[in-house]
Amino acid sequence: MVLDPVVRPERLVVSVQALALRIRESFWFLPAVFGLGAIVLAEVLVAVDRVVIDHGIQIAVLDALSASGGRSILTTIGTAMLTVAGTSFSITISVLATTSSTYGPRLVRNFMADRANQLVLAVFTSTFVYAVVVLRSVHTDVDDGTAFVPVIAVHVAVLIGLVDVAVLVFFIHHIASSVQITSLQKRVQVELAAALDEAFATDDDRVSTTPRSSSVALGTTIRAGEDGYVQSVAWRRLVRWAVDQHAVVDVRAMPGRHVLRGDPVLVVTTEAGERVDLDDRAVRQLRACVTTGTARTPYQDVRFALQQLVEIAVRGLASGTNDPYTAVGALELASAALVPTWRDRATVTACLDDDGVARVLPHWPEIEDLVGTVFDGVATYGQEHPLVLTAAVDLARRLQDDAPRSRRDAAAEFEDRVRALFP
């Protein structure tokens, strides 16, 4: 990947990536944006209505409305949409509770990050906001001596209400589809594939996969400013900073690791491997490149992304569930993400600048370790399920096809391990 060596100003050092991740998994952002848009639309249409009335313009396709009629329509639409929103998301919470208890609590974030769920909530709540804002502009002669009914705005409210009915039908279909185990597994598999793209590279990527002889031993240590899990690292920003400072940054706390305040996160040296002195501004810039939070996320945490699929498989094998087909499906989807990486990719050991100089040194897990966790789960929980053992053998055979010699031997060991479990 080509990396821009220009360092951003300090005022932009705040982790935009971290904010984007939090926004993505929040139920408040889209409703807030749509709510503001509803307020603007309502005010604009009311202003247009005033201009139309002042100039005596007649719009043939719009029926005239009395103040009481306009208020009734807006009140009905606003009340109905708020009620529907509450009912719909009561259903969502119920689905979340059921899904988390069946397939694992870590899958709850998949529902919160679902754009469709966020959009439905935004549409319903913004309709309520629009109706309330338009309603406040409706008044009669008794109110202030001048009657005003925003006909255009009221008719637009009716149109929005019809759209909301379609959105409600879509939501019912979507929530019924999204709770199916195949949909959950596919969503997790997509996240796993994206995380693997971060950690493993092909020959065309502008990163290095050459094994390091040793890690950076000496240097200036940047320590964690708070407790939590490392959720993401701004690799490009680190490279830009290192280019500007003629430095090398060794990332000691990779995404997924839990750190305590004061734990080493980054180690900075010069290009020659010597210690550098960093001022407070540089320390703040570097810390801002490492995002920590209260929970792990699958965006760069490849172990956690794979763990979610393994957890679905393991819970399917629990005595209370006893669903080996769920475990088989999880293994098949895991193979779709792991096999191409196993065959064609190598672990990223360095992020390079435009001149091919290693500037940032990550420590991603080896693919053998990741695949080993899948077979560990099978060996621990799948011994009594021949279907699962057969699926694990198929995965091991796929790993052996067209793989490098060293990895082919490792895959053969995985297959032998599983075959030993057959009764």
Side-chain angles (χ1 to χ4, degrees):
M1 53 186 176
V2 180
L3 301 168
D4 182 7
V6 178
V7 177
R8 297 180 181 180
E10 185 179 5
R11 62 186 177 86
L12 296 180
V13 170
V14 177
S15 183
V16 177
Q17 185 178 14
L19 180 60
L21 291 179
R22 291 190 177 95
I23 287 175
R24 178 179 174 80
E25 296 184 1
S26 68
F27 268 150
W28 59 264
F29 180 72
L30 280 184
V33 173
F34 275 56
L36 291 175
I39 294 174
V40 172
L41 178 63
E43 294 291 353
V44 169
L45 291 180
V46 169
V48 171
D49 270 301
R50 293 187 186 278
V51 173
V52 169
I53 292 174
D54 291 342
H55 289 77
I57 301 174
Q58 299 293 328
I59 303 178
V61 295
L62 300 183
D63 298 329
L65 292 171
S66 64
S68 60
R71 283 175 173 169
S72 297
I73 292 174
L74 293 171
T75 301
T76 301
I77 292 174
T79 303
M81 288 307 106
L82 195 61
T83 303
V84 169
T87 303
S88 299
F89 283 85
S90 295
I91 297 173
T92 301
I93 297 302
S94 175
V95 169
L96 286 178
T98 303
T99 303
S100 63
S101 63
T102 304
Y103 302 117
R106 279 154 291 280
L107 292 177
V108 171
R109 52 158 296 280
N110 285 278
F111 285 90
M112 295 189 66
D114 191 327
R115 285 296 190 197
N117 292 338
Q118 298 173 6
L119 182 62
V120 169
L121 179 60
V123 169
F124 289 156
T125 55
S126 61
T127 301
F128 171 77
V129 171
Y130 175 87
V132 169
V133 174
V134 175
L135 182 61
R136 60 184 283 272
S137 67
V138 180
H139 53 267
T140 64
D141 294 334
V142 178
D143 296 328
D144 60 359
T146 303
F148 175 72
V149 180
V151 177
I152 298 176
V154 172
H155 280 79
V156 169
V158 174
L159 291 176
I160 294 176
L162 295 176
V163 172
D164 288 348
V165 173
V167 171
L168 176 60
V169 174
F170 161 77
F171 175 74
I172 294 173
H173 167 79
H174 176 73
I175 202 68
S177 174
S178 61
V179 297
Q180 296 180 33
I181 184 58
T182 53
S183 299
L184 289 172
Q185 289 176 327
K186 183 60 180 178
R187 194 178 308 164
V188 173
Q189 188 256 347
V190 170
E191 292 176 341
L192 172 59
L196 289 170
D197 288 341
E198 288 275 348
F200 300 92
T202 63
D203 293 336
D204 295 332
D205 292 317
R206 290 298 304 275
V207 293
S208 175
T209 57
T210 303
R212 288 188 295 267
S213 57
S214 61
S215 60
V216 178
L218 299 175
T220 302
T221 301
I222 306 299
R223 301 186 180 276
E226 59 182 358
D227 303 343
Y229 290 96
V230 176
Q231 295 180 331
S232 63
V233 177
W235 304 107
R236 285 182 169 84
R237 189 184 304 164
L238 277 178
V239 171
R240 287 194 292 265
W241 184 93
V243 169
D244 184 67
Q245 302 298 326
H246 305 288
V248 177
V249 181
D250 186 15
V251 180
R252 294 297 178 86
M254 292 293 291
R257 179 176 173 180
H258 186 269
V259 295
L260 301 177
R261 183 182 179 89
D263 283 352
V265 176
L266 306 172
V267 176
V268 184
T269 64
T270 65
E271 294 173 344
E274 301 173 349
R275 181 182 177 86
V276 295
D277 294 326
L278 301 175
D279 56 20
D280 292 340
R281 177 175 178 271
V283 171
R284 288 196 300 271
Q285 287 179 322
L286 290 170
R287 277 182 177 168
C289 293
V290 180
T291 302
T292 58
T294 57
R296 297 173 71 179
T297 65
Y299 301 114
Q300 291 185 6
D301 186 353
V302 64
R303 288 187 184 277
F304 180 71
L306 181 58
Q307 175 188 316
Q308 291 186 108
L309 267 180
V310 175
E311 182 175 5
I312 292 176
V314 168
R315 284 179 173 266
L317 298 176
S319 58
T321 306
N322 197 24
D323 180 15
Y325 294 101
T326 294
V328 171
L331 287 174
E332 292 172 344
L333 287 177
S335 68
L338 292 173
V339 170
T341 302
W342 180 273
R343 291 176 179 173
D344 306 322
R345 297 189 178 189
T347 306
V348 173
T349 57
C351 298
L352 311 179
D353 62 14
D354 290 338
D355 297 325
V357 177
R359 293 295 181 180
V360 178
L361 308 179
H363 297 271
W364 297 107
E366 296 295 334
I367 186 63
E368 291 83 358
D369 293 337
L370 291 175
V371 175
T373 62
V374 177
F375 289 96
D376 288 341
V378 172
T380 304
Y381 301 98
Q383 299 183 37
E384 299 178 358
H385 300 276
L387 286 174
V388 178
L389 296 178
T390 301
V393 169
D394 290 340
L395 172 57
R397 287 179 175 175
R398 288 174 176 175
L399 293 173
Q400 296 177 58
D401 294 339
D402 300 325
R405 180 64 185 178
S406 60
R407 290 181 177 174
R408 198 178 310 158
D409 293 341
E413 292 179 4
F414 291 142
E415 181 179 356
D416 293 339
R417 180 182 177 187
V418 175
R419 287 191 179 279
L421 301 176
F422 277 93

CSV table of all heavy atoms in Angstrom, one decimal, residues 95-115:
chain,number,residue,atom,x,y,z
A,95,VAL,N,-34.9,-10.2,20.5
A,95,VAL,CA,-34.0,-11.0,19.6
A,95,VAL,C,-32.6,-11.0,20.1
A,95,VAL,O,-31.9,-12.0,20.1
A,95,VAL,CB,-34.2,-10.5,18.2
A,95,VAL,CG1,-33.1,-11.1,17.3
A,95,VAL,CG2,-35.6,-10.7,17.7
A,96,LEU,N,-32.1,-9.8,20.5
A,96,LEU,CA,-30.7,-9.8,21.0
A,96,LEU,C,-30.5,-10.7,22.2
A,96,LEU,O,-29.5,-11.4,22.3
A,96,LEU,CB,-30.4,-8.3,21.4
A,96,LEU,CG,-30.2,-7.3,20.2
A,96,LEU,CD1,-29.9,-5.9,20.8
A,96,LEU,CD2,-29.0,-7.8,19.4
A,97,ALA,N,-31.5,-10.7,23.1
A,97,ALA,CA,-31.3,-11.5,24.3
A,97,ALA,C,-31.3,-13.0,23.9
A,97,ALA,O,-30.5,-13.8,24.5
A,97,ALA,CB,-32.5,-11.2,25.3
A,98,THR,N,-32.2,-13.4,23.0
A,98,THR,CA,-32.3,-14.8,22.6
A,98,THR,C,-31.0,-15.2,21.9
A,98,THR,O,-30.4,-16.3,22.1
A,98,THR,CB,-33.5,-15.0,21.7
A,98,THR,OG1,-34.7,-14.6,22.4
A,98,THR,CG2,-33.6,-16.5,21.3
A,99,THR,N,-30.5,-14.4,21.0
A,99,THR,CA,-29.4,-14.7,20.2
A,99,THR,C,-28.1,-14.8,21.0
A,99,THR,O,-27.3,-15.7,20.9
A,99,THR,CB,-29.2,-13.6,19.1
A,99,THR,OG1,-30.4,-13.6,18.3
A,99,THR,CG2,-28.0,-14.0,18.2
A,100,SER,N,-28.0,-13.8,21.9
A,100,SER,CA,-26.8,-13.8,22.8
A,100,SER,C,-26.7,-15.0,23.7
A,100,SER,O,-25.6,-15.5,23.9
A,100,SER,CB,-26.7,-12.5,23.6
A,100,SER,OG,-27.8,-12.4,24.5
A,101,SER,N,-27.8,-15.5,24.2
A,101,SER,CA,-27.8,-16.6,25.0
A,101,SER,C,-27.6,-17.9,24.3
A,101,SER,O,-27.1,-18.9,24.8
A,101,SER,CB,-29.2,-16.7,25.8
A,101,SER,OG,-30.2,-16.9,24.9
A,102,THR,N,-27.9,-17.9,23.0
A,102,THR,CA,-27.8,-19.1,22.2
A,102,THR,C,-26.5,-19.2,21.5
A,102,THR,O,-25.8,-20.3,21.5
A,102,THR,CB,-28.9,-19.2,21.1
A,102,THR,OG1,-30.2,-19.1,21.7
A,102,THR,CG2,-28.8,-20.5,20.3
A,103,TYR,N,-26.0,-18.1,20.9
A,103,TYR,CA,-24.8,-18.2,20.1
A,103,TYR,C,-23.6,-17.4,20.6
A,103,TYR,O,-22.6,-17.4,20.0
A,103,TYR,CB,-25.1,-17.7,18.7
A,103,TYR,CG,-26.2,-18.4,18.0
A,103,TYR,CD1,-27.4,-17.8,17.6
A,103,TYR,CD2,-26.0,-19.8,17.7
A,103,TYR,CE1,-28.4,-18.5,17.0
A,103,TYR,CE2,-27.0,-20.5,17.1
A,103,TYR,CZ,-28.2,-19.9,16.7
A,103,TYR,OH,-29.2,-20.6,16.1
A,104,GLY,N,-23.8,-16.7,21.8
A,104,GLY,CA,-22.7,-16.0,22.4
A,104,GLY,C,-23.0,-14.5,22.5
A,104,GLY,O,-23.5,-13.9,21.6
A,105,PRO,N,-22.7,-13.9,23.7
A,105,PRO,CA,-23.0,-12.5,23.9
A,105,PRO,C,-22.1,-11.6,23.0
A,105,PRO,O,-22.5,-10.4,22.8
A,105,PRO,CB,-22.6,-12.3,25.4
A,105,PRO,CG,-21.6,-13.4,25.7
A,105,PRO,CD,-22.1,-14.6,24.8
A,106,ARG,N,-21.0,-12.0,22.5
A,106,ARG,CA,-20.2,-11.2,21.7
A,106,ARG,C,-20.8,-10.9,20.3
A,106,ARG,O,-20.4,-10.0,19.6
A,106,ARG,CB,-18.8,-11.8,21.5
A,106,ARG,CG,-17.9,-11.5,22.7
A,106,ARG,CD,-16.8,-12.6,22.8
A,106,ARG,NE,-17.4,-13.9,23.2
A,106,ARG,CZ,-17.7,-14.2,24.5
A,106,ARG,NH1,-17.5,-13.3,25.4
A,106,ARG,NH2,-18.2,-15.4,24.8
A,107,LEU,N,-21.9,-11.6,19.9
A,107,LEU,CA,-22.6,-11.3,18.7
A,107,LEU,C,-23.6,-10.2,18.8
A,107,LEU,O,-24.1,-9.8,17.7
A,107,LEU,CB,-23.3,-12.6,18.2
A,107,LEU,CG,-22.4,-13.8,17.8
A,107,LEU,CD1,-23.3,-15.0,17.4
A,107,LEU,CD2,-21.5,-13.4,16.6
A,108,VAL,N,-23.8,-9.7,20.0
A,108,VAL,CA,-24.7,-8.6,20.1
A,108,VAL,C,-24.3,-7.4,19.3
A,108,VAL,O,-25.1,-6.6,18.7
A,108,VAL,CB,-24.9,-8.2,21.6
A,108,VAL,CG1,-25.7,-6.9,21.8
A,108,VAL,CG2,-25.6,-9.3,22.3
A,109,ARG,N,-23.0,-7.1,19.3
A,109,ARG,CA,-22.4,-6.0,18.6
A,109,ARG,C,-22.7,-6.1,17.1
A,109,ARG,O,-22.8,-5.1,16.4
A,109,ARG,CB,-20.9,-5.8,18.7
A,109,ARG,CG,-20.1,-7.1,18.5
A,109,ARG,CD,-18.7,-6.7,18.2
A,109,ARG,NE,-18.6,-5.9,17.0
A,109,ARG,CZ,-18.7,-6.5,15.7
A,109,ARG,NH1,-18.8,-7.8,15.6
A,109,ARG,NH2,-18.6,-5.7,14.7
A,110,ASN,N,-23.0,-7.3,16.5
A,110,ASN,CA,-23.3,-7.4,15.1
A,110,ASN,C,-24.7,-6.8,14.9
A,110,ASN,O,-24.9,-6.2,13.8
A,110,ASN,CB,-23.4,-8.9,14.7
A,110,ASN,CG,-22.0,-9.5,14.6
A,110,ASN,OD1,-21.4,-9.4,13.5
A,110,ASN,ND2,-21.5,-10.1,15.6
A,111,PHE,N,-25.6,-6.9,15.8
A,111,PHE,CA,-26.9,-6.3,15.6
A,111,PHE,C,-26.8,-4.8,15.8
A,111,PHE,O,-27.5,-4.0,15.1
A,111,PHE,CB,-27.9,-6.8,16.7
A,111,PHE,CG,-28.4,-8.2,16.3
A,111,PHE,CD1,-27.7,-9.3,16.8
A,111,PHE,CD2,-29.5,-8.4,15.5
A,111,PHE,CE1,-28.1,-10.6,16.5
A,111,PHE,CE2,-29.9,-9.7,15.2
A,111,PHE,CZ,-29.2,-10.8,15.7
A,112,MET,N,-26.0,-4.3,16.7
A,112,MET,CA,-25.8,-2.9,16.9
A,112,MET,C,-25.1,-2.2,15.7
A,112,MET,O,-25.4,-1.1,15.4
A,112,MET,CB,-25.1,-2.6,18.2
A,112,MET,CG,-25.8,-3.0,19.5
A,112,MET,SD,-25.0,-2.4,21.0
A,112,MET,CE,-25.2,-0.7,20.8
A,113,ALA,N,-24.2,-3.0,15.1
A,113,ALA,CA,-23.5,-2.4,13.9
A,113,ALA,C,-24.3,-2.6,12.6
A,113,ALA,O,-23.9,-2.1,11.6
A,113,ALA,CB,-22.2,-3.1,13.8
A,114,ASP,N,-25.5,-3.2,12.7
A,114,ASP,CA,-26.3,-3.5,11.5
A,114,ASP,C,-26.9,-2.2,11.0
A,114,ASP,O,-27.7,-1.5,11.7
A,114,ASP,CB,-27.4,-4.5,11.8
A,114,ASP,CG,-28.1,-5.0,10.5
A,114,ASP,OD1,-28.2,-4.2,9.6
A,114,ASP,OD2,-28.5,-6.1,10.5
A,115,ARG,N,-26.5,-1.7,9.8
A,115,ARG,CA,-26.9,-0.5,9.3
A,115,ARG,C,-28.4,-0.5,9.1
A,115,ARG,O,-29.1,0.6,9.2
A,115,ARG,CB,-26.2,-0.2,8.0
A,115,ARG,CG,-24.8,0.3,8.1
A,115,ARG,CD,-24.8,1.6,8.8
A,115,ARG,NE,-23.4,2.2,8.8
A,115,ARG,CZ,-23.0,3.2,9.6
A,115,ARG,NH1,-23.9,3.6,10.6
A,115,ARG,NH2,-21.8,3.7,9.6
